[in-house]
Amino acid sequence: MRPSARQPDASALALLPGATFADAFSVDVDHAELDANTAATRALSETPPWIAGLLTLRNALVRPFGLVGTDETGKLATDRIGFFPCLSRAPERIVLGLNDKHLDFRIAVDVQTLNPGSKRVIATTVVKPHNVLGRTYLTSIMPFHKLIVPIMLARVRRR
């Protein structure tokens, strides 16, 4: 089964009050022992080369505006999954995110038990732009976001 779009859960929306954008994707997996940390690590730790190239371009484009690059998040947080700072961890939910000048974002990776042998993994992105730069940035990355998130979420199915 491929990841599919779904309505964001209210508990994920509550992670960032005042957010103006939210979306969610889910995938069902046959893996009884999967937890949120494992799911998030599988999805986000190894970036495919073409996505890494887009991130390098993104970093070069946003640096003149004083925004945090994906290559700089290590200075902000030592607890990370991929380049995303980890804000909280629980077996059923990992929350990643960052507050920056232009916008704040949260990524919740939730794992729900469907039956004794399968789980549903849900990746929810919530964004709160602060200004015109944040709204412009969000609009410009949206086509890439909607392409990349399901691809990365599908990686959770590997063992």
Side-chain angles (χ1 to χ4, degrees), residues 95-114:
V95 179
L96 310 167
L98 184 67
N99 296 341
D100 204 351
K101 295 177 186 178
H102 65 311
L103 58 76
D104 300 341
F105 75 90
R106 301 292 182 268
I107 301 168
V109 178
D110 293 295
V111 176
Q112 302 171 342
T113 300
L114 298 176

Side-chain angles (χ1 to χ4, degrees), residues 6-7 12 17 20 23 27 30 43-44 48 55 61 68 81-82 88-89 92 98 103 108 111 115 117 126 135 149 157:
R6 59 179 288 133
Q7 282 295 114
T20 58
D23 71 1
V27 66
D30 295 328
L44 300 170
L55 291 172
L61 293 173
V68 175
I81 296 180
S88 69
R89 289 180 190 264
E92 60 283 333
L98 184 67
L103 58 76
V111 176
N115 60 54
V126 185
R135 290 186 294 278
V149 172
R157 300 186 82 206

Side-chain angles (χ1 to χ4, degrees), residues 64-81:
F65 297 99
L67 306 181
V68 175
T70 57
D71 55 344
E72 299 172 308
T73 57
K75 298 174 190 169
L76 302 173
T78 55
D79 187 11
R80 292 176 286 142
I81 296 180

Side-chain angles (χ1 to χ4, degrees), residues 32-48:
E33 302 303 317
L34 187 71
D35 65 7
N37 186 68
T38 303
T41 300
R42 287 180 182 175
L44 300 170
S45 287
E46 298 174 22
T47 306

Side-chain angles (χ1 to χ4, degrees), residues 17 28 30 49 52 74 78 82 86 93-94 102 104 112 121 128 132 143:
D28 294 349
D30 295 328
T78 55
C86 184
R93 173 177 277 176
I94 295 278
H102 65 311
D104 300 341
Q112 302 171 342
V121 180
K128 179 181 177 180
V132 172

Side-chain angles (χ1 to χ4, degrees), residues 5-29:
R6 59 179 288 133
Q7 282 295 114
D9 182 84
S11 67
L13 296 174
L15 294 170
L16 195 57
T20 58
F21 170 82
D23 71 1
F25 295 88
S26 68
V27 66
D28 294 349
V29 298

